[in-house]
């Protein structure tokens, strides 16, 4: 990123804001998990994979993932986040045939569609999978 900032110093604030937001947002589920473990609301990190047990901190954890995904969708599709990333080279890059290119807004939106499907299926599986006996004992 430093290379891109040196080439175009006006992008510096955008990179800084993006990184601050990223660091804050991606840690929210981990902070919730840590709080749950520290105050004894869970006995094991494995419990977070089984929301159907209706443990309140596990439900908050899963809700945080959904909320963050919805905020990300809103930013990328409706608040010009994809254009922002496109205008700030180096944030998301794509390697094709040994060439590294910066992602376009269209590619970012397409990739987010795949992420949405992945999260949907992963969270759905978490709700329907069988809970192993070592979790419920």
């Amino acid at each position: 990123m430093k290379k891109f900032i040196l080439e175009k110093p006006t992008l510096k604030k955008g990179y800084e804001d993006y990184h601050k937001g990223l660091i804050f947002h991606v840690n929210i589920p981990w902070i919730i998990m840590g709080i749950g473990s520290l105050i004894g609301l869970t006995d094991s990190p494995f419990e977070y994979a089984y929301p159907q047990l209706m443990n309140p901190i596990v439900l908050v954890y899963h809700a945080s993932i959904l909320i963050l995904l919805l905020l990300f969708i809103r930013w990328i599709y409706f608040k010009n986040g994809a254009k922002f990333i496109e205008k700030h080279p180096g944030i998301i890059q794509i390697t094709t045939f040994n060439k590294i290119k910066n992602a376009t807004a269209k590619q970012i939106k397409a990739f987010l569609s795949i992420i949405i499907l992945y999260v949907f299926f992963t969270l759905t599986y978490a709700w329907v999978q069988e809970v192993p006996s070592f979790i419920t004992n």
Side-chain angles (χ1 to χ4, degrees), residues 3 7 26-27 29 40 47 51-52 72-73 80 82 94 99-100 110 116 118 129 131 137:
K3 171 181 111 174
E7 291 173 8
V26 299
N27 283 302
E47 289 183 47
Q52 68 269 42
F72 191 57
I73 290 168
N80 294 320
I94 299 170
K99 286 185 178 181
I100 298 175
I116 293 166
Y118 173 77
Q129 69 181 321
V131 179
N137 290 336

Side-chain angles (χ1 to χ4, degrees), residues 7 14-15 18 20 27 52 54 57 66 77 83 89 92 132:
E7 291 173 8
Y15 283 113
Y18 176 81
K20 286 177 190 173
N27 283 302
Q52 68 269 42
M54 303 307 280
I57 198 71
L66 283 174
Y77 288 109
K83 280 284 184 201
I92 296 180

